[in-house]
Amino acid sequence: MTNLFAIIFVFGVLVIIHELGHFIAAKLMGVRVERFSIGFPPKLFSKKIGDTEFTISAIPLGGYVKMAGFIDESMDAKITGAPDEFQSKSTWRKVVIITGGVIMNFLLAILILTVLNFVQGERIIPTTKVGYVGEQGIGQRIGFQKYDEILAINGQTVHNWNEVQEQFVDNLNSNIVFTVVRDGRQIQLVYQKEWFKESKAEQFDVGPLIPAKVGAITPGMPAEKIGLKRGDEIVAIAGQPIKDWVEMTEVIRKYPEKTISIEWRRGDSLFSAQITPQAFEEKNEKGEMIKVGKIGISYYYEHRDVGPGQAVILGVKNTFDLLALNIKGISWVITGTKSAKEIIGGPIMIAKMAGDAAQAGWAYLWYLIAALSTVLAFFNILPIPALDGGHLVFILIEGIRGRPIPAKIKLKVQQIGLAILFTLIIFIFYVDISRLFF
């Protein structure tokens, strides 16, 4: 039920906000809105308020705002020249209306990330020492070993693990030179550009050396039930001494639905209890589904308070960082550098992500909505007929020509656009399904 609610909530927020952007812009610009629909036909429920019919429809893959005198995916070419029709408005008013949804998606992402930055502050992992290297990941191929200390990436000094991750992502699809201290000696490790074409080569698969100290606690999970609190340091599990977070995680994962002992330190006091890690299914490195244990805690991080002004700046920066990452991802697919299966996700993948985020907590769920809202804005502004970007191209051409494009041409282009769009949707579903089963 939690996963189902999360899926409905995520899709609902994204669609409503986007279409609300068009609706508000249209009303402000004096355009009559005939229908505001969440979902696509067949219609399930409707209510008319004023000139607008508000509907909820059966296919939950988006929504639309039907404006008077606007040739869109409904193929309605009825234009009378009335002053409250879309086609009767000036170019700049049309631009405002057609970009309203995209603007609202960007504003939603900025708002969410601003609030998260203000409420949570900056989360800094104050180390550049390596605590984990995946057995078959790109980190091992680069040559990383546990306890390596990263000093710089491509000559850029790094001061914490946040900067390590940022520099790695920023330099993907190029040679990445890591300056590292190992056993008192300074050496260089290199990520080769040609590796990037390989599967999962965009995943660093190297983690920081952090203590087994409790950060956030997921409500309802085993850690909360036995009374663990933020700042507690776990010192032993199942009778095995624990030195760091990775060791702790590896032990817990071995005991899904099995009761084991746990000891932790709080200040000068030592506590112990019995705990039963909750079982979760996930894929191992061979792609096989396995059960692992989790107790519902995240690692401890250094917290820095963020004021309102700085929170807004970070909210804007984080949103445009997400946008830049999406642009990079699409360019990698187009150029054949990465496969669509690795980069592109559709409704099935989003549904899974929503469920996982809901399990992790509200902050993760809101961050997912912000990220998806940015993706939705980027995708919709692409110059593809039937999308907002396609409509925008028509508007700008008409503005330059000084006269409207014939309705027959618009309808024909819209039909082509819908064909492209449905083909793309089918392809995305195929990628989603193949990711789940192959």
Side-chain angles (χ1 to χ4, degrees):
M1 287 301 295
T2 300
N3 286 2
L4 180 61
F5 171 77
I7 293 163
I8 294 171
F9 181 73
V10 169
F11 277 102
V13 168
L14 292 172
V15 172
I16 289 172
I17 288 296
H18 182 85
E19 300 307 331
L20 190 62
H22 290 306
F23 178 80
I24 292 173
K27 299 296 281 186
L28 289 174
M29 296 297 110
V31 173
R32 175 165 40 94
V33 178
E34 297 174 348
R35 185 177 298 114
F36 185 111
S37 179
I38 303 302
F40 295 114
K43 187 192 307 180
L44 298 177
F45 170 81
S46 70
K47 182 176 179 61
K48 191 163 186 178
I49 302 175
D51 294 326
T52 308
E53 178 188 18
F54 293 88
T55 71
I56 296 177
S57 299
I59 303 176
L61 295 177
Y64 65 95
V65 168
K66 179 68 182 75
M67 294 175 283
F70 180 59
I71 301 174
D72 59 6
E73 52 273 12
S74 69
M75 302 303 170
D76 182 2
K78 185 179 179 182
I79 299 174
T80 66
D84 62 354
E85 289 184 351
F86 180 85
Q87 198 59 44
S88 300
K89 301 302 177 181
S90 62
T91 299
W92 76 267
R93 289 179 184 272
K94 293 176 185 176
V95 169
V96 170
I97 294 169
I98 212 64
T99 58
V102 169
I103 291 170
M104 281 291 278
N105 281 128
F106 276 124
L107 290 178
L108 175 65
I110 291 170
L111 175 63
I112 291 172
L113 295 172
T114 295
V115 172
L116 288 177
N117 279 309
F118 180 70
V119 172
Q120 296 181 330
E122 283 190 273
R123 296 181 170 190
I124 305 297
I125 305 172
T127 184
T128 62
K129 281 190 176 181
V130 173
Y132 165 82
V133 182
E135 292 182 4
Q136 298 178 359
I138 204 68
Q140 186 182 70
R141 191 166 177 183
I142 295 169
F144 277 107
Q145 296 179 12
K146 190 171 183 177
Y147 304 120
D148 283 348
E149 182 176 4
I150 303 172
L151 300 181
I153 299 176
N154 281 358
Q156 180 77 34
T157 302
V158 289
H159 305 90
N160 52 58
W161 201 260
N162 304 62
E163 293 180 1
V164 170
Q165 292 176 314
E166 288 173 8
Q167 287 295 318
F168 177 75
V169 172
D170 288 346
N171 288 285
L172 280 174
N173 202 20
S174 63
N175 289 333
I176 307 176
V177 180
F178 297 87
T179 303
V180 172
V181 171
R182 177 184 298 167
D183 298 328
R185 296 183 300 108
Q186 187 168 301
I187 60 174
Q188 288 190 333
L189 305 176
V190 181
Y191 175 108
Q192 303 289 346
K193 178 180 178 179
E194 56 266 25
W195 297 348
F196 184 63
K197 293 184 178 181
E198 300 174 13
S199 177
K200 297 183 180 180
E202 75 282 359
Q203 299 175 17
F204 193 27
D205 207 21
V206 175
L209 182 67
I210 51 180
K213 200 171 182 181
V214 178
I217 300 172
T218 304
M221 289 287 284
E224 184 189 52
K225 292 177 182 178
I226 67 167
L228 279 172
K229 295 182 179 180
R230 177 178 168 82
D232 289 347
E233 186 167 357
I234 296 171
V235 296
I237 296 179
Q240 179 177 329
I242 298 298
K243 296 179 182 178
D244 57 55
W245 182 269
V246 173
E247 283 189 359
M248 179 202 72
T249 303
E250 288 175 348
V251 174
I252 292 172
R253 287 170 63 87
K254 295 176 183 177
Y255 295 96
E257 301 299 339
K258 295 179 181 179
T259 301
I260 53 177
S261 63
I262 182 171
E263 297 178 26
W264 69 92
R265 183 178 291 108
R266 183 182 299 159
D268 295 327
S269 301
L270 193 64
F271 298 83
S272 65
Q274 297 292 305
I275 192 168
T276 306
Q278 188 170 324
F280 286 84
E281 284 196 346
E282 62 179 49
K283 286 185 178 180
N284 62 15
E285 293 181 347
K286 296 179 180 178
E288 303 166 335
M289 294 303 297
I290 59 171
K291 281 189 176 182
V292 299
K294 296 184 182 182
I295 63 173
I297 60 174
S298 62
Y299 56 80
Y300 189 89
Y301 52 83
E302 185 178 293
H303 180 272
R304 296 179 186 173
D305 289 333
V306 173
Q310 183 64 19
V312 173
I313 293 171
L314 286 173
V316 173
K317 179 184 180 297
N318 296 158
T319 299
F320 280 92
D321 285 345
L322 286 169
L323 176 62
L325 193 57
N326 283 308
I327 294 172
K328 277 185 179 181
I330 294 298
S331 69
W332 293 335
V333 174
I334 292 172
T335 58
T337 305
K338 303 295 290 183
S339 70
K341 185 177 177 179
E342 292 179 86
I343 303 296
I344 296 175
I348 297 174
M349 181 179 175
I350 293 171
K352 182 182 183 305
M353 291 168 65
D356 292 344
Q359 293 288 341
W362 277 100
Y364 294 95
L365 188 63
W366 280 113
Y367 182 83
L368 174 64
I369 291 173
L372 292 175
S373 192
T374 306
V375 173
L376 183 60
F378 169 68
F379 182 72
N380 264 282
I381 207 62
L382 293 176
I384 299 173
L387 295 180
D388 293 341
H391 292 305
L392 182 60
V393 170
F394 275 136
I395 291 168
L396 295 177
I397 291 173
E398 289 179 337
I400 294 169
R401 293 175 78 238
R403 61 185 186 277
I405 296 171
K408 288 183 178 180
I409 295 177
K410 282 188 178 181
L411 286 171
K412 191 66 177 177
V413 174
Q414 290 288 10
Q415 289 172 339
I416 295 170
L418 281 175
I420 294 172
L421 199 56
F422 279 121
T423 302
L424 184 60
I425 290 171
I426 292 169
F427 174 69
I428 290 173
F429 267 108
Y430 167 76
V431 170
D432 267 0
I433 293 168
S434 65
R435 184 185 289 111
L436 287 176
F437 297 105
F438 302 103

